[in-house]
Amino acid sequence: VGRRDASELHVVLLAGGSGTRFWPLSRSARPKQFVALAGPRPLVVDTWQRVRRLAPPSRIWVVAPARHAGRLRRLLPQLRQDRLVVEPLPRDTAPAVVLACEAVAARAPGSVTAIFPTDHVIRDPGSFEQSVRTAVAAAAQGGLVCLGIRPDHPATGYGYLDCAEPPSRRRAVAVRRFVEKPDAASARRFLRSGRHVWNAGMFVWRVDRFLAEAERVAPEVVLPVREHRKGRRGAWARARRVSIDYAVMERARDVRVVALDAGWDDVGSWDAACRLRVAAGDAGAPHLLLDSPGSAVFGSGGGRVVALVDLPGVAVVDTPDALLVVPRGSAQRVKEVVAELERRRRKDLL
Amino acid sequence: VGRRDASELHVVLLAGGSGTRFWPLSRSARPKQFVALAGPRPLVVDTWQRVRRLAPPSRIWVVAPARHAGRLRRLLPQLRQDRLVVEPLPRDTAPAVVLACEAVAARAPGSVTAIFPTDHVIRDPGSFEQSVRTAVAAAAQGGLVCLGIRPDHPATGYGYLDCAEPPSRRRAVAVRRFVEKPDAASARRFLRSGRHVWNAGMFVWRVDRFLAEAERVAPEVVLPVREHRKGRRGAWARARRVSIDYAVMERARDVRVVALDAGWDDVGSWDAACRLRVAAGDAGAPHLLLDSPGSAVFGSGGGRVVALVDLPGVAVVDTPDALLVVPRGSAQRVKEVVAELERRRRKDLL
């Protein structure tokens, strides 16, 4: 335990999940992390490159359902077969994180492990690395460390971490409490306080410390996962379907936070994807956008030319079997489109 | 001459031309009349069905460039091989009309012939037939008869016919003069006058009368066309490139007009195409238009589903290699898209 293991950081990437917010480019069989939302490559590939600054392939683990294995191997040729941890069924993040940490602990019980989603954008990988190094040092001393995003607007769509003092990139500070998605007035107060950061679902801890805390506060997750690892059929399905935040982090001892100011974006909708594309000066070559500022074209690379005229702030999403055109301000309504396709029993498009 | 020949009406359909206003569904090799703009079938097919009320296939002629011959045979299986009159090169409408009328005259010199564009919509074929019958009777007596559309708004995009008295569907009235596209104030005055109708490029005349007038006022068209018919190489290219209105009708004697109130629409842009589709209750099944009234989806039938959210009054035009999204009010700007593709040397898309 301690310095040596801690310098050997392990990384766990969470590549499960599914969603409807990026239809038609993302589908039930191809969730958001497999889509090139913010740049030319799928988000999971950007994530892999980013964490390669932190660890060699031998210490990078990916948790995902079996149906993503082929795609992960194609996209991440450096991913080692024995570092792919298969979730038998989706059970939210807590069982997946516990499963991966048990796998890491079996090889390197005292090691520090960092947990990252694979469907976020981080524009400044250098700053990201710096925050992670700070978090690793704090984790080596026993803390369960969250990376917290300093808010730049009073978002009501994220959970917040209320810290004992203003968080920093250079040292970990104690978390006082987890706050669920706040109302607008609370969000404005949090923004002014300087003590609140967004919970981005990125964690760094010693696996032994984490598993001990998890077993204490969430045995309904940990025990079925351990039985599953022993080969007990049906055990996985008994693990509680719950998020890692709710199941463990909100109840754990010695939870700390390190600030992350690295151009983080969780790319929550086509609106956000357009914002990122436009900011990157990439509205989608070779397309032809005539007086359509703030618009962007997303496609599966079929080589079609899209011409957009006098349509500012619109997302065009072009796939072989479905096309979406939506103003950025209406991006949330994509789920209504998906619901309508479900009503029409168009499983082929979902 | 007279009653017998006149009852044997010949019809000439003008199927040449090209345009950029319906890109990307219409292309240089596939002009507007070959596109299903207003309904499920290409406009040329609707036109054929409409004129079949007036004449059997043995008396329906089609003038078109050779490159459209294959498509015409496919779309119009009843078109007789020897009724397809080939334009060697596009030279506007005057040479094409003279060429077709010479061909008709060679078979039935005293017959009445009606000339129709193939890229217009006429919603009421019964009323159309009635106006044509009136025109045929007037033409049998020697008049060169225009079908004139009674204006329902002060359009500045059409030429007008200024008539000696208010035009009617039941009898032909004399045309006083042809008026080029007017300014807005004149167009309002014309609308109020009751004596002005739009020139829709539809004519009915005895071919002998027409050819005599054409030879008198436009020998620079008629003589090269006759030489071309005799097999003189290069003669066609010497025919003046000019419209039939300008070359002949504006100068001819005994020009008359019969009113046409048959739901005529020249479908001048994607705006008009949307209007027709929406009026027909066909926004483009199986597409999914969410809070997008007045919008319509046009496609080449590839079976893709288009989802449009919160975008009222937008045309979506979906083809295998190019996609256009344009608000109806910006439909005129499609030509800028085409110009930009020309600059980019994307001949494959034009």
Side-chain angles (χ1 to χ4, degrees), chain A residues 152-180:
Chain A
D152 58 9
H153 67 279
T156 56
Y158 302 132
Y160 284 72
L161 306 175
D162 178 6
C163 306
E165 53 188 307
S168 154
R169 281 185 287 171
R170 302 223 156 63
R171 63 194 184 81
V173 303
V175 171
R176 290 209 304 207
R177 64 184 183 107
F178 281 68
V179 188
E180 283 295 299

Side-chain angles (χ1 to χ4, degrees), chain B residues 64-119:
Chain B
R67 66 199 160 98
H68 294 164
R71 181 169 275 133
L72 283 165
R73 274 194 287 273
R74 256 198 320 282
L75 290 173
L76 309 176
Q78 290 190 304
L79 170 62
R80 281 172 48 167
Q81 180 69 33
D82 58 358
R83 295 296 182 262
L84 179 61
V85 179
V86 172
E87 290 176 279
L89 283 171
R91 301 295 290 167
D92 210 330
T93 51
V97 169
V98 169
L99 180 65
C101 286
E102 290 280 356
V104 174
R107 302 225 173 210
S111 70
V112 172
T113 301
I115 316 288
F116 299 116
T118 50
D119 60 350

Side-chain angles (χ1 to χ4, degrees), chain A:
Chain A
V1 191
R3 203 142 293 178
R4 208 193 63 83
D5 266 14
S7 71
E8 295 226 326
L9 177 68
H10 286 248
V11 169
V12 170
L13 302 181
L14 305 175
S18 70
T20 59
R21 288 178 300 175
F22 290 93
W23 184 89
L25 212 46
S26 110
R27 305 284 172 104
S28 59
R30 185 170 177 257
K32 178 185 162 197
Q33 62 269 24
F34 297 116
V35 175
L37 283 179
R41 293 171 315 191
L43 296 172
V44 70
V45 175
D46 292 335
T47 304
W48 178 273
Q49 306 258 313
R50 191 159 58 238
V51 301
R52 279 290 285 104
R53 304 167 75 110
L54 303 168
S58 61
R59 285 190 265 121
I60 304 178
W61 306 70
V62 175
V63 201
R67 67 198 159 99
H68 294 164
R71 180 170 275 132
L72 283 164
R73 274 194 287 271
R74 257 196 321 281
L75 290 172
L76 310 176
Q78 290 190 304
L79 170 62
R80 281 172 48 167
Q81 180 68 32
D82 57 358
R83 294 296 182 263
L84 178 60
V85 178
V86 172
E87 290 175 280
L89 284 171
R91 300 296 289 168
D92 209 331
T93 51
V97 169
V98 169
L99 180 66
C101 286
E102 289 279 355
V104 173
R107 302 226 172 208
S111 69
V112 172
T113 300
I115 315 288
F116 300 116
T118 50
D119 60 350
H120 295 173
V121 160
I122 286 175
R123 277 183 295 259
D124 182 350
S127 175
F128 167 77
E129 187 181 350
Q130 190 184 350
S131 289
V132 175
R133 300 270 177 222
T134 304
V136 167
Q141 291 162 12
L144 303 194
V145 187
C146 307
L147 292 176
I149 314 297
R150 233 188 289 268
D152 58 9
H153 67 279
T156 56
Y158 302 132
Y160 284 72
L161 306 175
D162 178 6
C163 306
E165 53 188 307
S168 154
R169 281 185 287 171
R170 302 223 156 63
R171 63 194 184 81
V173 303
V175 171
R176 290 209 304 207
R177 64 184 183 107
F178 281 68
V179 188
E180 283 295 299
K181 297 175 182 176
D183 59 29
S186 303
R188 283 194 297 272
R189 204 172 63 245
F190 294 169
L191 181 64
R192 284 194 303 269
S193 81
R195 286 186 300 100
H196 292 79
V197 287
W198 294 333
N199 176 7
M202 299 186 223
F203 309 106
V204 186
W205 49 50
R206 252 175 36 206
V207 281
D208 53 357
R209 267 283 291 137
F210 166 73
L211 290 169
E213 283 295 289
E215 188 174 353
R216 185 176 66 81
V217 301
E220 72 281 11
V221 172
V222 174
L223 302 181
V225 169
R226 284 192 179 143
E227 289 193 19
H228 166 72
R229 278 181 49 83
K230 285 179 196 149
R232 188 78 51 87
R233 291 184 133 254
W236 179 263
R238 286 197 302 275
R240 191 171 165 204
R241 183 195 294 269
V242 63
S243 76
I244 188 67
D245 305 278
Y246 185 81
V248 179
M249 299 309 288
E250 299 188 7
R251 299 146 201 244
R253 284 182 290 228
D254 199 13
V255 175
R256 305 187 215 172
V257 74
V258 168
L260 179 66
D261 299 296
W264 172 88
D265 199 306
D266 75 337
V267 205
S269 68
W270 284 120
D271 180 28
C274 279
R275 176 168 31 75
L276 291 165
R277 278 285 186 93
V278 170
D282 171 23
H287 305 299
L288 204 155
L289 277 61
L290 205 64
D291 288 323
S292 302
S295 294
V297 177
F298 301 84
S300 42
R304 266 178 12 140
V305 164
V306 176
L308 216 59
V309 179
D310 285 335
L311 282 170
V314 164
V316 177
V317 191
D318 182 24
T319 74
D321 57 355
L323 172 78
L324 171 72
V325 189
V326 63
R328 289 170 52 176
S330 299
Q332 302 302 335
R333 300 195 67 189
V334 171
K335 60 178 182 290
E336 296 174 51
V337 172
V338 172
E340 174 60 25
L341 291 170
E342 277 165 357
R343 262 192 299 279
R344 294 185 186 179
R345 303 187 185 283
R346 292 298 303 266
K347 272 200 178 162
D348 55 314
L349 299 177
L350 299 173

Side-chain angles (χ1 to χ4, degrees), chain A residues 286 288 291 304-311 318-325 327 330 333 337 340 344 346 349, chain B residues 286-288 291 304-311 318-325 327 330 333 337 340 344 346 349:
Chain A
L288 204 155
D291 288 323
R304 266 178 12 140
V305 164
V306 176
L308 216 59
V309 179
D310 285 335
L311 282 170
D318 182 24
T319 74
D321 57 355
L323 172 78
L324 171 72
V325 189
S330 299
R333 300 195 67 189
V337 172
E340 174 60 25
R344 294 185 186 179
R346 292 298 303 266
L349 299 177
Chain B
H287 306 298
L288 203 155
D291 288 323
R304 262 170 25 131
V305 165
V306 175
L308 216 59
V309 179
D310 285 336
L311 281 170
D318 182 25
T319 73
D321 58 355
L323 172 79
L324 170 71
V325 190
S330 299
R333 301 195 67 189
V337 172
E340 175 60 25
R344 293 186 187 177
R346 293 297 303 266
L349 299 177

